């Protein structure tokens, strides 16, 4: 029989997959090292297990002990899997910018998770670095992993990831591209590959808001480079000890939007459901297209799985709120919102009932419907002016104060065409989807979409 003794034996030997559509403008062959085939769905499984095994060998981690680490989610998952098999407890600190899915996944495999603020310096007592270090000092028989400065991190990639890529490409690789954070993947993998062929170019993808590129270019730790950013898992506000900058040939910065948009493209155009950092890696590679030649073979690390970002990168509303989603039609606005049913009111209901509905659902426009037909509408602004003059209208029927029905437009109507329908007198339009469900688009929806 052929089987693995436990889940940890499935780590590694992840596939290389050729990319086509998202790299069509590049002259070379681009291969993705798809690391979500690891059991914890990320490349961090490799170094997590290595760090635990090294801690065991050195006596830092004893039976029944507690593993403590500050993590953006993926390292925690790898450590939690090792802990399940080996019988350890886990306490992880993370930042409030990480996706809810990551936190929930860590809890699902038995870890305790403490969420700390993002927008503080690393040495602030409230930072997730500081909290994890403090817990390791306070809890007996615990081990603080410290993936940033634990050199077993980069050793794992020197021993595993580098040799795999070299063998899979038959030594033909010319470029390694990694969206980098702790430095373990790029340094360990790059070191092995450069020992095989010193001409291989190692390119690091960084985020705006991180100081790594500035440090690489100048050797200066410039805290003026540091500001909050949205991209998860890459960039740093300090330089971890896992970095050996001599291994890296170039740093390229990528915006939060470019990484998010590219991640969605990869999912839709290549069928590979990847995380945020993989989008950043490909976006950065595309920015460097003029440095590439037809004979080049580029390997890009795809760090983790898209399931950890369904509430963010793969959520239309989240993307639109940050100005990452290009809104062009009524359909784009409808798709960007939660799929809530249309709130309507019958013509014989009292005006006071209409006001109560508006308050309950926090809306300002109500279509009036009778026998399945839209016969009119009422709006907060119109009611306000009428009630000021005639307070007794609260007891009147809705059809005595309603104005004409909202226009109905097609889902593919361009946003700029809505100015024909939405004006001072009319604050909304209706549309219906393929299933026949009606939706309302208001003046506020359009301003929010265009202003984001």
């Amino acid at each position: 029989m052929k089987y693995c003794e436990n889940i940890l034996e499935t780590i590694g030997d992840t596939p290389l997959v050729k990319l086509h559509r998202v790299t069509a403008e590049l002259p070379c062959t681009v291969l993705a090292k798809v690391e979500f085939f690891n059991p914890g769905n990320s490349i961090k499984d490799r170094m997590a297990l290595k760090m635990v095994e090294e801690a065991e060998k050195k006596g830092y981690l004893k039976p029944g002990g507690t593993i403590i680490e500050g993590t953006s989610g993926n390292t925690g998952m790898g450590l939690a899997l090792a802990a399940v098999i080996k019988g350890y407890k886990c306490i992880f600190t993370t930042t409030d910018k990480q996706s809810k899915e990551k936190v929930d996944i860590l809890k699902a495999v038995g870890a305790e998770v403490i969420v700390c603020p993002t927008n503080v310096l690393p040495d602030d007592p409230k930072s997730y670095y500081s909290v994890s270090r403090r817990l390791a000092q306070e809890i007996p028989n615990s081990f603080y992993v410290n993936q940033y400065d634990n050199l077993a991190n980069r050793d794992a990639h020197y021993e595993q990831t580098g040799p795999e890529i070299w063998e899979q490409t038959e030594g033909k690789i010319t470029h390694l591209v990694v969206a980098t954070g702790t430095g373990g993947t790029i340094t360990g993998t790059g070191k092995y590959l450069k020992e095989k062929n010193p001409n291989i170019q190692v390119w690091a993808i960084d985020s705006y808001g991180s100081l790594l590129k500035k440090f690489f270019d100048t050797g200066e730790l410039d805290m003026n480079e540091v500001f909050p950013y949205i991209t998860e898992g890459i960039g740093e506000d300090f330089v971890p000890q896992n970095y050996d900058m001599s291994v890296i040939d170039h740093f390229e910065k990528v915006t939060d939007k470019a990484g998010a948009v590219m991640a969605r493209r990869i999912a839709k155009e290549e069928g590979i459901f990847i995380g945020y950092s993989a989008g950043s890696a490909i976006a950065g590679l595309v920015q460097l297209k003029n440095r590439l030649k037809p004979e080049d073979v580029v390997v890009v690390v795809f760090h983790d799985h898209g399931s950890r970002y369904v509430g963010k990168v793969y959520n239309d509303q989240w993307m639109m709120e940050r100005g990452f989603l290009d809104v062009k039609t009524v359909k784009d606005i409808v798709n960007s919102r939660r799929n809530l049913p249309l709130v309507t009111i019958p013509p014989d209901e009292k005006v006071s009932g209409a006001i109560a509905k508006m308050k309950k659902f926090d809306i300002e426009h109500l279509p009036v419907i009778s026998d399945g037909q839209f016969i009119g509408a009422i709006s907060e602004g119109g009611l306000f002016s009428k009630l000021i003059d005639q307070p007794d209208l609260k007891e009147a029927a809705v059809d005595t104060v309603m104005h004409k029905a909202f226009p109905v437009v097609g889902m593919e109507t361009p946003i700029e065409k809505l100015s024909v329908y939405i004006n001072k007198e009319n604050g909304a339009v209706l549309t219906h989807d393929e299933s026949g469900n009606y939706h309302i688009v208001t003046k506020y929806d359009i301003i929010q979409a265009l202003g984001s």
Side-chain angles (χ1 to χ4, degrees), residues 331-332 334-335 410-412 431-439:
K331 185 175 184 179
D332 292 328
V334 171
N335 288 344
M411 288 279 273
E412 300 303 326
T431 187
H432 59 83
D433 58 29
E434 295 84 353
S435 301
N437 299 312
Y438 277 85
H439 306 270

Side-chain angles (χ1 to χ4, degrees), residues 106-176:
L106 291 176
K107 290 179 179 178
V109 288
E112 179 183 345
V113 183
I114 300 170
V115 179
C116 304
T118 300
N119 193 19
V120 294
L121 294 173
D123 57 357
D124 188 291
K126 298 187 293 294
S127 78
Y128 80 117
Y129 310 107
S130 298
V131 174
S132 57
R133 284 194 295 266
R134 176 177 57 79
L135 291 172
Q137 293 170 352
E138 295 174 351
I139 297 174
N141 192 20
S142 64
F143 170 61
Y144 174 44
V145 179
N146 188 12
Q147 61 179 308
Y148 303 95
D149 300 331
N150 188 329
L151 300 188
N153 178 348
R154 70 187 192 190
D155 291 344
H157 299 291
Y158 180 84
E159 296 169 4
Q160 301 171 32
T161 317
E164 283 180 27
I165 292 172
W166 182 259
E167 182 180 345
Q168 288 172 317
T169 62
E170 298 178 338
K172 296 186 174 85
I173 177 175
T174 60
H175 296 73
L176 173 71

Side-chain angles (χ1 to χ4, degrees), residues 118 120-122 129 209-211 221 223 226 229 235-239:
T118 300
V120 294
L121 294 173
Y129 310 107
S210 162
L211 56 66
L221 277 172
M223 295 307 294
V226 178
Y229 55 95
E236 295 295 350
D237 49 8
F238 68 105
V239 181

Side-chain angles (χ1 to χ4, degrees), residues 232-283:
E232 297 181 33
I234 71 172
E236 295 295 350
D237 49 8
F238 68 105
V239 181
Q241 291 180 23
N242 269 291
Y243 277 97
D244 178 355
M245 294 297 183
S246 68
V247 172
I248 302 170
D249 297 288
H250 178 73
F251 261 85
E252 184 76 6
K253 284 200 174 189
V254 171
T255 65
D256 291 327
K257 178 178 180 178
V261 170
M262 182 57 78
R264 289 164 65 101
R265 281 192 60 198
I266 293 167
K268 289 181 179 179
E269 298 177 33
E270 303 287 351
I272 307 174
F273 191 38
I274 43 78
Y276 204 154
S277 62
S280 298
I282 293 297

Side-chain angles (χ1 to χ4, degrees), residues 15-19 30-34 272 282 298-302:
L16 278 184
V17 179
K18 185 176 181 180
L19 302 181
V30 180
L31 307 174
K33 181 70 167 159
V34 187
I272 307 174
I282 293 297
V298 181
V299 174
V300 184
V301 173
F302 280 8

Side-chain angles (χ1 to χ4, degrees), residues 107 162 213 269 384 390 394 407 424:
K107 290 179 179 178
K213 175 174 170 55
E269 298 177 33
F384 176 78
Q390 304 177 62
K394 285 191 294 185
K424 187 176 181 180

Side-chain angles (χ1 to χ4, degrees), residues 287-307:
Q287 289 174 194
L288 295 167
K289 62 184 178 182
N290 293 333
R291 298 188 180 204
L292 298 165
K293 303 183 295 295
E295 62 270 23
D296 289 334
V297 175
V298 181
V299 174
V300 184
V301 173
F302 280 8
H303 299 78
D304 65 354
H305 196 255
S307 58

